[in-house]
């Protein structure tokens, strides 16, 4: 078997079973079998348009959307301002960026490193914030939908 064929068979269903992907699903050996996994094959649940419409119409969905926007909009705005401040100072005040902080490390290098630091700080703070503010609502909404209740 050629390398390309072997690699593709890991991620794509075989051509002979193209019409029956739900019947040919096998859970990977490194993960727990999904709850709908029965006897080596799976009946993959198909989401319905009615379920999506019910979720979209629910109060929890719009609360999640509003909370998400209340975090993302200000943080993205501040980060873009911070980034363009860095660029503008680099373009219009190169002498300031060349000021040595210690040794060969200058202000420009410190600003550049702080761009990475602020990116990771935003990612970590969003992770913490979403776990407290979004995950409980999304879990409740998902459990209602999976249980067949109106969201």
């Amino acid at each position: 078997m050629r390398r390309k064929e072997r690699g593709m068979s890991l991620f794509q269903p075989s051509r002979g079973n193209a019409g029956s992907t739900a019947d040919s699903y096998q859970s990977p050996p490194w993960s727990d079998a999904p709850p709908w996994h029965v006897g080596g094959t799976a009946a993959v649940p198909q989401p319905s348009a009615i379920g999506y419409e019910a979720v979209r119409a629910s109060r929890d969905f719009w609360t999640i959307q509003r909370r998400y926007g209340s975090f993302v909009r200000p943080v993205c705005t501040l980060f873009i301002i911070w980034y363009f401040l860095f660029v503008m100072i680099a373009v219009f005040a190169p002498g300031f960026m060349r000021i040595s902080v210690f040794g060969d490390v200058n202000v420009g290098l410190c600003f550049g490193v702080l761009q990475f630091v602020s990116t990771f700080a935003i990612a970590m703070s969003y992770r913490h914030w979403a776990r407290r503010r979004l995950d409980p609502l999304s879990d409740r909404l998902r459990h209602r939908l999976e249980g067949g209740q109106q969201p």
Side-chain angles (χ1 to χ4, degrees):
M1 178 182 267
R2 291 187 325 230
R3 174 175 247 163
K4 184 177 180 182
E5 290 173 1
R6 185 174 58 232
M8 289 183 62
S9 66
L10 291 174
F11 301 106
Q12 295 177 349
S14 64
R15 295 193 190 275
N17 294 335
S20 61
T21 55
D23 294 336
S24 64
Y25 175 79
Q26 296 288 324
S27 66
W30 60 83
S31 70
D32 293 332
W36 59 83
H37 195 273
V38 179
T41 62
V44 179
Q46 297 298 320
S48 68
I50 295 170
Y52 285 129
E53 290 170 4
V55 167
R56 193 166 196 282
S58 71
R59 176 180 289 155
D60 286 343
F61 176 80
W62 290 107
T63 303
I64 291 169
Q65 289 291 316
R66 189 180 70 250
R67 287 182 183 178
Y68 175 77
S70 72
F71 182 89
V72 169
R73 282 186 205 102
V75 169
C76 283
T77 301
L78 289 174
F79 184 79
I80 288 171
I81 290 169
W82 158 237
Y83 173 75
F84 281 114
L85 176 69
F86 170 59
V87 172
M88 298 303 280
I89 292 173
V91 169
F92 294 110
F96 174 72
M97 295 298 252
R98 278 189 238 123
I99 295 173
S100 179
V101 177
F102 60 91
D104 289 334
V105 177
N106 59 21
V107 172
L109 184 62
C110 292
F111 267 60
V113 168
L114 286 175
Q115 289 289 318
F116 287 101
V117 170
S118 63
T119 301
F120 285 109
I122 289 169
M124 298 307 289
S125 63
Y126 175 75
R127 179 179 164 215
H128 177 73
W129 180 86
R131 282 186 176 170
R132 284 183 308 127
R133 305 273 300 168
L134 298 181
D135 289 352
L137 281 175
S138 63
D139 288 342
R140 185 171 70 191
L141 188 61
R142 182 174 38 89
H143 288 303
R144 281 195 211 150
L145 187 62
E146 288 173 350
Q149 301 171 4
Q150 278 294 333

